[in-house]
Amino acid sequence: DAAVVAARRPAMLAAVAARLQQAYGAGFAHDFGAAEAAFEDGTSGPAGVQILQTRDAEDRTNWLILESAVNDLIAAGQGGATVTFRTLANAEITLPAADAKQVLVGMKQNGQAKLAHSWALKNAIRQAQTLAALEQIDVSLDARRRYRGHGSAGSQSEQL
C-alpha cells in the first residue's frame, strides 16, 4: 500500500500543477456591468462579463504594470483618472482608477484562491498515508469537489 501511494503521488502532484496552469490560462471573468466597452467590430455598449487574460507570464506582468499605474494614480489623489482594460474579446473598457483597482483586487484574490487550493491539494496528496486516503483526493478543477463525498461550498473564485 505504501509503495503504491508513493508511486501515485508524483502523477497527482503534477496533475495539480497542470490544472493550476490551466485555471490561470482560463483567465479571470469579471462583470463590468453597464460600463461602456468599445468592441472589436467598432460597436460599443455595456461591457457585461468579460474575460481578462492570465494565460502566461506576459499577461500577468501586464496586469502588474496596470496595477502599479492604478496605485500611482490613486496615491496621487487621481482616483478619477481613467485607465483602459483590454479583454480576451479585444473589448476596451475604460474605468476610473479607483474602480479599476477593485477589478484588479478581485483578479488578485481569484489567483490567490486558485494557488491556495492547489497548495491544499498538494498537502493532502503528500499527507495521504493509504491508498484509500489518496483516492479520496479529487484533483479536478472544481474546489467544491476537492474530496469525493466531502464537497465544500466553494465559490467560483475557489475553482482551480
Side-chain angles (χ1 to χ4, degrees), residues 15 32 62 101:
F32 288 91
N62 290 339
K101 176 71 175 175

Side-chain angles (χ1 to χ4, degrees), residues 16-60:
V16 170
R19 289 204 165 93
L20 176 61
Q21 291 310 309
Q22 183 181 4
Y24 284 152
F28 172 66
H30 180 75
D31 187 352
F32 288 91
E36 187 78 9
F39 298 106
E40 191 173 34
D41 65 2
T43 63
S44 63
V49 176
Q50 295 287 327
I51 304 295
L52 303 177
Q53 295 165 283
T54 58
R55 298 169 302 205
D56 54 27
E58 182 179 352
D59 285 342
R60 292 175 223 147

Side-chain angles (χ1 to χ4, degrees), residues 41-156:
D41 65 2
T43 63
S44 63
V49 176
Q50 295 287 327
I51 304 295
L52 303 177
Q53 295 165 283
T54 58
R55 298 169 302 205
D56 54 27
E58 182 179 352
D59 285 342
R60 292 175 223 147
T61 298
N62 290 339
W63 294 121
L64 290 172
I65 291 167
L66 181 61
E67 181 182 34
S68 179
V70 164
N71 287 339
D72 289 348
L73 287 168
I74 292 169
Q78 299 176 16
T82 59
V83 296
T84 301
F85 287 82
R86 188 187 254 320
T87 70
L88 177 63
N90 289 320
E92 291 186 2
I93 303 161
T94 301
L95 296 175
D99 293 343
K101 176 71 175 175
Q102 295 310 307
V103 175
L104 295 168
V105 165
M107 180 187 290
K108 187 183 315 182
Q109 290 171 340
N110 180 269
Q112 289 170 331
K114 289 174 182 176
L115 185 59
H117 180 64
S118 76
W119 289 345
L121 286 173
K122 287 179 179 182
N123 288 343
I125 291 165
R126 288 185 183 109
Q127 292 168 4
Q129 297 299 311
T130 66
L131 184 56
L134 196 63
E135 288 176 342
Q136 289 300 307
I137 301 167
D138 183 351
V139 296
S140 72
L141 294 176
D142 190 347
R144 292 169 293 191
R145 299 181 329 159
R146 177 172 47 199
Y147 300 101
R148 279 183 250 153
H150 298 18
S152 69
S155 68
Q156 180 179 3

